[in-house]
Amino acid sequence: MTLQQFLLILRARYKVVLSILLFTVIATLIVSLLLPKQYTAGTAVVVDIKSPDPVAGMVLPGLTSPTYMATQVDVINSDRVAERVVKMLRLDESPVVKEQWEEDGSKGELTTWLANLLKRKLDVKPSRESNVIYIEYTGSDPNFAAAVANAFAQAYIDVNLDLKVAPARQYAHWFKGQTAAARDELERAKAALSAYQQETGLVATEERLDYEVAKLNELSSQLTLIQAQTSDSSSKRKAAEDPDTLAEVIQSPLINSLKSDIARLDAKLQESSAYLGPNHPQTKRTQSELASLRSKLSAETRKIHSSIGTSYEVGKRKEQELLEAMEKQKGRVLELNRQRDQMSVLQGDVEAAQRNFEGISQRSALTRLESLSVQTNITPLNPASIPSEPSKPKLLLNMLISIFLGTLLGVGVALVMELMNRRVRSVEDIVEAIEIPVLAVMSGPSRNKFSSRLPKLPNPETS
C-alpha cells in the first residue's frame, strides 16, 4: 500500500477515525474526572559519606562503597521502616483501620498489613549525581500523604541510627567483660611481681646488681694483687739460700747500721790485738761487743728471712680467703642475674597486661560512646509540604495520550474495515485488482462518485 492509497482510505473513512477518536477522548475525560484524586508529597534526605565519624575520627570505608546508596534505598523500602511509620502515625490504633483489616481477612499482624499497604504507594529515588535520596508518597488525602512522607524520612533516620547503635551496644557489652578480665589479669601480674620482690627483697635490681658486680671486681683486683705478692714471696723463698743476698736484708737500714758497727769494731779489734794483744781487756771487750753485734745481725737477718716466709703464708691464706669470697660473690651475682631475669619476666607480664588493658579500655570507651550516639550521617534536606494540586489523574497528559491512542485506534479500525471491504479508490487499486493496464482515467467530480459506487472487485487469485 502506497502513501496515496493510505491517504485515500483515511479520506474515505474519516468519519470512523473521528468517531473512534472522539469516543476515546470522551471516555478518557470521563474516567479521569471520575477517578479519585491522588496527592503526592515528597521529602529529601542527604546522606553524608565524606565527613569523618565523630567517635572514630575517620571516614568509614563502607560509606564510600558504590553500593552504599543502593543499600540506603533498600533500608527505606524495608518492612522495619514501614512498621516504624505505622507506629509513629498510630495507624494500628485506628478502629476504622482495624475494621478494614478484619474485612480484608489478611493473615498476620495488623502492623505488617499496614506496612505493606504503605510501601505500595511509596517511591524512593536516589539522585544520580549527588547523595540526596527523594522519598515520595501518594495518597488520596494531601495531609496524610505529607505526614507519611515525613514519617518515612524520620523512621529511616531512626532505623539508620538503630542499625549503627545496636552493634555498638553489643560490642560495648562484650568489651565491658573483656575489660574486667584484662583488669584482673593486670592485677594478678602486679601481685605476682610484688610477691616476688617481697620474697627476694629486690626493688631496684639494676642498682643492686651493679653494686654486687663492683664488689666482685674489687675482690678480683685484691686477689690479683695478693697473688702477685704471694708469687713474689714464693720466688724470694726459693731463691734465698743466702739470706744476706735478699733485697730486704741489703736495703734494711738496721742491718746496714749493724754491718757498719761490726766493720768499725772489727777494725778496732784488729788494731787492739796488734797493739795491746789478744788478752788485753780492751781487746776482750771489743771481741765481746763484736760478737754481740754479729749476733744481732744474724738475728735480724733471720727475722727478715722469716718475715718473707710469713708473708708468703699470710698471702696464701688471704689468697684462699679471697678465692672463697669471690666464689660466694659470683654465686650472689649469678643469683641476682637469675632473680633479675625472673623479675624481668614478671615485669614483662605486667607491661603486656597493662598494654592489653589500655587497648581494650580505649576500644571499650569508643564502642560505649558509639552506643550512646544520637546522631547519624543522615540529615533531612526539606520536609514534605501538603500538596495543593493532585498529582493523579493528570488530565492534560491523559488527554494527550487519549488523542494519540484514539487516532492510532481509529486509523487501525479504518484499515481493517478497508481490508475487509476493499474498494477501488485509485488507479493503483485497479491495476492490483485485475492486473490489466489502465488506458485512460476519467477526470472531474463524477470520478469520485463513480468510484464510490463501484462494486467490490473480485480477488484475481480466487476468480
Side-chain angles (χ1 to χ4, degrees):
M1 182 180 296
T2 63
L3 178 60
Q4 182 182 3
Q5 291 176 319
F6 177 72
L7 295 176
L8 290 174
I9 293 173
L10 292 182
R11 180 180 177 183
R13 301 186 181 272
Y14 72 95
K15 292 182 180 181
V16 175
V17 175
L18 291 178
S19 299
I20 294 176
L21 174 61
L22 184 60
F23 175 78
T24 304
V25 172
I26 293 174
T28 303
L29 178 62
I30 293 174
V31 172
S32 299
L33 294 177
L34 293 178
L35 284 176
K37 294 182 179 180
Q38 300 290 321
Y39 296 86
T40 301
T43 182
V45 293
V46 179
V47 182
D48 187 6
I49 62 175
K50 295 183 179 180
S51 298
D53 186 84
V55 178
M58 59 180 294
V59 178
L60 300 179
L63 299 180
T64 58
S65 175
T67 61
Y68 182 75
M69 294 298 293
T71 302
Q72 300 308 305
V73 173
D74 292 339
V75 170
I76 299 174
N77 287 314
S78 65
D79 294 338
R80 184 173 178 178
V81 173
E83 291 175 1
R84 194 178 189 92
V85 171
V86 173
K87 296 294 184 181
M88 291 175 61
L89 299 178
R90 298 182 178 180
L91 298 178
D92 54 339
E93 300 178 4
S94 174
V96 178
V97 173
K98 291 182 179 180
E99 184 179 353
Q100 293 178 355
W101 175 61
E102 292 175 355
E103 292 177 355
D104 187 67
S106 300
K107 297 181 180 180
E109 297 182 357
L110 174 61
T111 304
T112 305
W113 181 73
L114 288 173
N116 292 329
L117 291 180
L118 291 178
K119 289 195 300 180
R120 293 177 184 176
K121 298 182 179 181
L122 180 67
D123 185 18
V124 181
K125 296 179 294 185
S127 178
R128 294 183 178 179
E129 299 179 356
S130 66
N131 299 325
V132 178
I133 299 178
Y134 298 97
I135 303 174
E136 295 181 351
Y137 183 81
T138 302
S140 58
D141 186 0
N143 295 320
F144 180 74
V148 172
N150 290 326
F152 262 101
Q154 186 60 44
Y156 163 58
I157 295 174
D158 295 341
V159 170
N160 186 276
L161 181 61
D162 290 341
L163 294 175
K164 176 183 177 183
V165 170
R169 288 175 180 171
Q170 296 178 357
Y171 282 125
H173 179 72
W174 182 79
F175 274 115
K176 185 178 180 181
Q178 295 300 314
T179 303
R183 185 186 297 108
D184 295 339
E185 184 66 24
L186 177 60
E187 291 176 355
R188 284 195 296 269
K190 287 183 177 179
L193 177 61
S194 177
Y196 187 77
Q197 287 178 337
Q198 292 178 2
E199 178 184 352
T200 58
L202 295 177
V203 179
T205 56
E206 296 299 331
E207 295 179 2
R208 176 75 177 276
L209 183 61
D210 292 342
Y211 169 75
E212 297 295 340
V213 171
K215 190 174 180 181
L216 178 61
N217 293 333
E218 184 180 356
L219 289 174
S220 178
S221 300
Q222 292 178 4
L223 178 61
T224 302
L225 180 60
I226 292 298
Q227 286 177 342
Q229 294 176 357
T230 304
S231 177
D232 184 58
S233 299
S234 177
S235 299
K236 288 179 180 180
R237 284 184 62 193
K238 293 178 181 179
E241 296 178 358
D242 184 5
D244 294 335
T245 60
L246 293 173
E248 285 79 0
V249 175
I250 295 173
Q251 296 174 359
S252 175
L254 179 58
I255 291 178
N256 290 331
S257 177
L258 290 174
K259 285 182 178 181
S260 297
D261 291 341
I262 290 173
R264 181 178 54 79
L265 288 176
D266 192 23
K268 186 178 178 180
L269 178 62
Q270 291 179 3
E271 183 181 357
S272 177
S273 297
Y275 289 103
L276 299 178
N279 296 320
H280 191 271
Q282 184 177 355
T283 302
K284 293 292 186 181
R285 186 174 60 251
T286 302
Q287 289 178 349
S288 177
E289 291 178 357
L290 181 61
S292 177
L293 286 176
R294 284 178 177 173
S295 177
K296 288 182 179 180
L297 176 61
S298 177
E300 190 65 29
T301 302
R302 286 193 303 270
K303 187 185 294 185
I304 292 175
H305 185 269
S306 177
S307 68
I308 291 175
T310 302
S311 176
Y312 172 76
E313 295 297 332
V314 172
K316 291 297 289 185
R317 286 195 298 269
K318 193 171 183 179
E319 180 181 350
Q320 186 64 31
E321 291 175 357
L322 287 174
L323 285 173
E324 293 176 357
M326 280 190 62
E327 290 299 324
K328 292 181 180 179
Q329 189 63 24
K330 284 181 180 179
R332 191 174 300 153
V333 170
L334 291 176
E335 180 64 19
L336 281 175
N337 280 328
R338 187 189 67 79
Q339 293 176 356
R340 183 191 64 176
D341 294 340
Q342 182 65 24
M343 185 172 291
S344 298
V345 172
L346 295 176
Q347 288 177 345
D349 293 341
V350 172
E351 292 174 358
Q354 182 70 33
R355 289 193 299 269
N356 188 33
F357 174 71
E358 291 176 355
I360 294 177
S361 298
Q362 183 179 5
R363 192 70 184 93
S364 177
L366 288 176
T367 53
R368 185 174 61 85
L369 288 177
E370 290 179 1
S371 65
L372 299 176
S373 177
V374 294
Q375 183 65 35
T376 67
N377 62 330
I378 312 299
T379 305
L381 182 60
N382 54 329
S385 58
I386 300 175
S388 58
E389 297 292 337
S391 59
K392 296 178 182 179
K394 299 179 180 179
L395 186 60
L396 179 59
L397 179 61
N398 292 343
M399 296 304 295
L400 293 177
I401 294 175
S402 66
I403 292 174
F404 173 75
L405 293 179
T407 303
L408 199 62
L409 181 62
V411 171
V413 171
L415 291 177
V416 171
M417 293 177 63
E418 182 67 22
L419 293 176
M420 293 178 63
N421 186 13
R422 186 58 184 240
R423 300 295 183 89
V424 176
R425 304 186 186 279
S426 63
V427 177
E428 289 80 3
D429 293 338
I430 298 176
V431 174
E432 291 177 1
I434 60 177
E435 297 181 355
I436 297 175
V438 178
L439 299 178
V441 177
M442 297 178 62
S443 60
S446 60
R447 173 174 170 263
N448 292 333
K449 295 179 181 180
F450 174 77
S451 61
S452 61
R453 289 193 294 267
L454 287 176
K456 183 179 178 181
L457 297 177
N459 192 341
E461 296 179 357
T462 58
S463 60

